Amino acid sequence: MRAALTFTLDLEDHREHRAAPARYPAITRELLPWLAELKVRGTFFVVGEVAAAEPALIREVAAAGHELALHSWDHTPLTAITPARFRDDTVRGRSVLEDLSGKPVQGYRAPIFSLTPASRWAVGILAELGFRYSSSVLAAPHPLYGYPGLPSAPFQWPEGLLEIPAPLARLGAWRLPYLGGFYLRYLPLPLIQWLRTCAPRDELPWTYCHPYDFDVDEAFTPIRDAALWVSVLLWCRRRGTRGKLARLMADGCAPPFAEQLARGDFAQAKTLP
Ligand SMILES: [Zn+2]
């Protein structure tokens, strides 16, 4: 049988201007009863600054049975910070989350899959800090980030950290992400379902959405330093996200990553040479 889907959410504040009202707390609160109805518990990768700004929200997420993992302190890509700052930020973000939930944080996801050959040093720091797993790699060439040459199935870094790479669609020689919020919004459901059936059996399927992927009422705001068409693409087609996800998760979801790890699901993961 094919592996069940894991639900993950990158809980971040994507506002362009801090003067605008924050919409992500209300959107996330709307998701909690919806996920409960679908009997889905997932992993919420939370930005440290968001946890510090919205402690009540983070407690609600944890109380609903979801796993809290870290999604950096302030969403700066790994390729834009020094190892020393990464270490400090990671310790700080983790302690905010652990204080809020009373549970150890085991997982880390780099902003925009920015764990690349240039930021490979981050693996050693995560392992040293006691993280059990990372979910930070897109194992294919990509215009933004990517780590071609790595397996797309979960694997162990030699430092002892488990990596759970982003699932990839196979179209001929192409390897493309397809289960992120952006792709869920634009790809037709039958295509996503078909791509799932083509995935290798050892690859772990997981979705990664953001609160804005579900926010159908947000007004359009051009994104700084991005072309207008990019801003438009990121803003459109949010209405179908919930419906498509519900269909994809209808056959039952896997528990949060930390629970999969605890029950030995990754025991077969190969260690990189
Ligand atoms: Zn993010």
Side-chain angles (χ1 to χ4, degrees), residues 10 12 71 75 111-112 210:
D10 292 356
E12 58 198 51
H71 190 38
H75 215 263
I112 32 183
H210 311 82

Side-chain angles (χ1 to χ4, degrees), residues 3-16:
L5 200 68
T6 307
F7 175 86
T8 79
L9 188 90
D10 292 356
L11 186 39
E12 58 198 51
D13 181 355
H14 76 295
R15 273 179 300 172
E16 282 299 308

Side-chain angles (χ1 to χ4, degrees), residues 1-222:
M1 217 177 95
R2 212 155 270 284
L5 200 68
T6 307
F7 175 86
T8 79
L9 188 90
D10 292 356
L11 186 39
E12 58 198 51
D13 181 355
H14 76 295
R15 273 179 300 172
E16 282 299 308
H17 309 288
R18 287 295 178 265
R23 300 179 58 83
Y24 72 87
I27 299 292
T28 307
R29 285 194 170 96
E30 281 173 23
L31 290 177
L32 295 178
W34 176 68
L35 289 169
E37 207 174 294
L38 293 168
K39 299 193 171 30
V40 170
R41 290 183 306 110
T43 302
F44 281 50
F45 290 90
V46 185
V47 170
E49 277 187 344
V50 163
E54 293 287 338
L57 173 66
I58 305 307
R59 282 195 200 99
E60 286 166 45
V61 170
H66 302 289
E67 175 195 0
L68 298 184
L70 185 63
H71 190 38
S72 80
W73 174 254
D74 59 2
H75 215 263
T76 306
L78 299 186
T79 43
I81 54 175
T82 62
R85 184 178 147 199
F86 172 72
R87 177 188 288 273
D88 292 350
D89 282 1
T90 303
V91 168
R92 186 177 174 202
R94 178 174 65 179
S95 86
V96 173
L97 288 180
E98 289 184 342
D99 287 351
L100 289 170
S101 71
K103 285 186 181 167
V105 166
Q106 304 186 39
Y108 181 89
R109 175 172 291 162
I112 32 183
F113 299 121
S114 56
L115 179 50
T116 69
S119 55
R120 169 68 179 79
W121 47 262
V123 172
I125 296 176
L126 288 171
E128 233 177 86
L129 293 176
F131 280 84
R132 300 282 313 282
Y133 75 88
S134 152
S135 176
S136 306
V137 158
L138 188 72
H142 191 268
L144 286 178
Y145 295 100
Y147 207 138
L150 288 181
S152 62
F155 65 87
Q156 292 279 351
W157 294 100
E159 288 88 337
L161 183 76
L162 174 74
E163 184 67 45
I164 308 175
L168 298 173
R170 274 134 183 91
L171 292 169
W174 289 75
R175 298 284 179 273
L176 301 164
Y178 71 111
L179 286 173
F182 178 81
Y183 306 94
L184 290 177
R185 280 154 52 187
Y186 281 93
L187 300 177
L189 183 65
L191 176 62
I192 300 171
Q193 285 166 325
W194 177 74
L195 290 170
R196 273 204 70 192
T197 64
C198 304
R201 290 198 172 268
D202 56 355
E203 200 177 273
L204 192 73
W206 44 271
T207 63
Y208 48 106
C209 293
H210 311 82
Y212 63 76
D213 288 313
F214 302 91
D215 187 353
V216 295
D217 295 322
E218 187 178 38
F220 176 72
T221 314

